[in-house]
Amino acid sequence: MSRGTILIVDDEVSNIEIMNAVLEDDYEVLFSTSGQQALDTARATPPDLILLDVLMPGIDGFEVCRQIKDDPQLADIPVIFTTGLGDTDHEMRGLSLGAIDYVTKPIQPAILRARVGNHIELKRLRDQLASMAVTDALTGLSNRRQMEQALKSEVGRLGRTGDWLTVIMIDIDFFKQFNDTYGHPAGDRCIVMVGAALTRAVKRASDLPARYGGEEFACILPGADPEGAALVAQEISLHVQSLNIPHERSQISPFITVSIGVASARCLPDMTPEMWMKEADRQLYLSKQQGRNRVTSTEFGAVVDNLQA
């Protein structure tokens, strides 16, 4: 297990040195001596926990905590206030802003080590649960929930720049017949192998492959224009074919194949995620209608939202 990262924020260097001496054997420790520096550091290198001094010149600890909790990228980072104030009003104010604990100065090493350890472990468990909620248990790919959340985010982000966005829908051909012939355990292994092939074909870090449900998969390709998206779709098809998974009841091949639908558009502010999903699903339907084991693509615009599925 990798070591957790702690960000210590205090305008007194001596306090940083004391806390660092307590924690450095167990954690990677980052330092900031001002509120603004703390925010910049947290955004550049998000830590697993922040030890935050209350009284600092400029932006004080309360304001730093407020900005952290208002930032979607940082809001889940636990904050422990460190202070010599020791009064209930300040403690309540910090907790109301989203801090999870208080440590008073002068620092007591055993207490600091225990509280940091407890909250790091709790965050690790929360992160595991959050990952399980958006991960398909069989393939390890993102699940439908995560895919839909990511698509919504990308439509909003790319809508500000007018950049391309592509959604690809993939369906294993004649999968019911495969299950009927080889059994559901073999069907599960087939889905796992197709998911792995999908991951190998979708190479960019910004792309998101997902298991959409059953034998259906999906990919989100931010910035991919129709030509680039078509190449990715062909790669997916070839990677699946190269698995050479026997399928004696397929009507088009002795091996497992996939049908693919591709929908690409330039994002505009008034466009919705459903538009990509509807059009990608329409193209997938056309691939199946035209014989399966093929890629069908389209480039669409905002008017598609008015079309009937």
Side-chain angles (χ1 to χ4, degrees), residues 104-116:
T104 57
K105 301 173 186 176
I107 295 296
Q108 300 180 53
I111 291 176
L112 177 65
R113 191 178 296 112
R115 290 191 174 178
V116 166

Side-chain angles (χ1 to χ4, degrees), residues 278-289:
K278 180 187 293 186
E279 194 60 21
D281 195 57
R282 192 199 314 271
Q283 298 306 308
L284 176 59
Y285 173 80
L286 291 174
S287 284
K288 293 179 179 180
Q289 191 181 50

Side-chain angles (χ1 to χ4, degrees), residues 230-295:
L231 291 174
V232 172
Q234 292 293 345
E235 279 289 303
I236 293 170
S237 181
L238 290 173
H239 275 73
V240 171
Q241 290 180 48
S242 71
L243 296 172
N244 291 324
I245 302 173
H247 189 353
E248 65 182 39
R249 290 187 59 193
S250 171
Q251 299 175 24
I252 52 174
S253 169
F255 301 101
I256 282 288
T257 59
V258 290
S259 297
I260 299 177
V262 184
S264 303
R266 285 193 176 275
C267 289
L268 298 173
D270 60 343
M271 297 176 76
T272 65
E274 291 74 22
M275 296 169 66
W276 274 267
M277 295 305 302
K278 180 187 293 186
E279 194 60 21
D281 195 57
R282 192 199 314 271
Q283 298 306 308
L284 176 59
Y285 173 80
L286 291 174
S287 284
K288 293 179 179 180
Q289 191 181 50
Q290 294 168 11
R292 304 181 190 252
N293 188 25
R294 66 187 63 233
V295 176

Side-chain angles (χ1 to χ4, degrees), residues 164 166 226 261-265 279-280 282-283 286 296-300:
W164 285 101
T166 291
V262 184
S264 303
E279 194 60 21
R282 192 199 314 271
Q283 298 306 308
L286 291 174
T296 307
S297 306
T298 190
E299 174 187 339
F300 70 96

Side-chain angles (χ1 to χ4, degrees), residues 80-92:
I80 298 177
F81 274 119
T82 61
T83 179
L85 293 172
D87 74 66
T88 304
D89 289 342
H90 282 94
E91 183 173 344
M92 290 301 298

